[in-house]
Amino acid sequence: MAKGYWVSVYPAISDPEELTAYGKLAGPAVRAGGGRTLSRGGRVVAHEAGITQRVVLVEFDSFEQAVAAYESEAYQKALVALPGGVERDFRIIEGID
């Protein structure tokens, strides 16, 4: 079965405190949903149209598990802490078997 991934790229973070508040809620919600954070805000080399801002990669055992974790009540509560101070490009993708 192909794994599922959350890929988040943050083009703009105008309020780091909001991101911190989100992280305090999101981390436990991700783990409860079976997610494993593989990368979070480390070094980035951007090419072409890429940006060097924060990138987060989370792995799940399946695409369905990744979708379910996003839709969970716990993660939806975390999203409330991520209002206008943070711009994010978020995707759920299926890995290759």
Side-chain angles (χ1 to χ4, degrees):
M1 176 182 295
K3 294 187 179 192
Y5 296 89
W6 287 7
V7 181
S8 302
V9 179
Y10 294 78
I13 301 171
S14 60
D15 190 340
E17 290 179 15
E18 287 181 351
L19 187 58
T20 299
Y22 158 79
K24 288 180 181 177
L25 297 171
V30 167
R31 288 187 295 279
R36 295 169 298 283
T37 302
L38 301 179
S39 178
R40 181 182 58 230
R43 297 186 311 168
V44 175
V45 175
H47 295 279
E48 298 162 23
I51 61 168
T52 59
Q53 275 288 17
R54 183 181 181 88
V55 177
V56 178
L57 178 63
V58 178
E59 179 182 63
F60 293 85
D61 289 335
S62 70
F63 179 79
E64 291 76 17
Q65 186 180 39
V67 171
Y70 182 85
E71 294 173 349
S72 73
E73 183 178 337
Y75 189 72
Q76 291 302 305
K77 286 181 181 177
L79 285 177
V80 172
L82 193 65
V86 176
E87 180 184 337
R88 178 170 87 150
D89 180 357
F90 179 91
R91 296 160 195 242
I92 299 173
I93 62 171
E94 184 175 36
I96 298 172
D97 227 354

